[in-house]
Amino acid sequence: MIINDTTLRDGEQAPFVAFNTKEKLAIATALYQAGADELEVGIPAMGTKEQADIKEILALNLPLRIMSWNRATMSDLEASLMCGVKAVDLSIPVSDILIETKFGGDKNRLLTNLEQVLHVAKNEGLFVCIGGEDSSRANNGFLKEVMELGHAHGADRFRYCDTVGIMTPHKIYEQVSY
């Protein structure tokens, strides 16, 4: 079991929350001291300020995995590589409703895109997590297809996301067991 903390990325999505660089460095250090094994620290595609903060966190040389969040696009991956991270979350929509919204319902294009970005990430030596946006509303067959593609191309982990918060502990157990 590992503890992946997303405070420095997801925490800033709460209303009225924005950490300055000094706060981010203090939070990263405190999370390490509290026992976190992995930190997801930001979204490099957001711009130069976010990239500078990620580089500052990396410069702390904390002995744990530092990960960035990315859409599964080449431009997002390139932004992460420029920061120097060694681990990325490549996020893709996996529910029909989000695939329709973000890819016009084209699952083949989504999978081809993921495969291309995953290939480059692994060639760069990165630890890769595929983040399944809205996994709790996804078709199990499609989730399995995404996981098999990820496994075949070297992904290190799949993140099952209950994006809209509809799961119960029992239902999560059933889904993950499947």
Side-chain angles (χ1 to χ4, degrees), residues 56-156:
E56 290 277 342
I57 293 167
L58 289 168
L60 292 172
N61 290 315
L62 298 172
L64 60 135
R65 183 178 294 132
I66 304 293
M67 176 180 281
S68 64
W69 186 94
N70 307 263
R71 294 165 296 189
T73 65
M74 291 307 298
S75 60
D76 278 23
L77 179 60
E78 288 165 2
S80 283
L81 289 169
M82 287 175 35
C83 290
V85 296
K86 301 296 181 206
V88 292
D89 179 71
L90 301 177
S91 189
I92 60 165
V94 291
S95 68
D96 289 341
I97 192 166
L98 287 187
I99 294 168
E100 181 62 38
T101 301
K102 295 182 178 190
F103 280 82
D106 190 344
K107 290 181 180 179
N108 288 329
R109 183 168 59 98
L110 180 149
L111 293 172
T112 298
N113 188 62
L114 173 62
E115 183 177 340
Q116 291 169 348
V117 177
L118 177 56
H119 178 74
V120 172
K122 292 310 293 182
N123 278 347
E124 291 289 335
L126 299 181
F127 176 94
V128 176
C129 172
I130 297 172
E133 295 174 34
D134 207 17
S135 296
S136 54
R137 295 191 296 173
N139 172 282
N140 282 340
F142 185 66
L143 275 181
K144 184 176 179 183
E145 186 177 350
V146 169
M147 288 181 196
E148 288 172 346
L149 181 144
H151 179 73
H153 294 280
D156 299 282

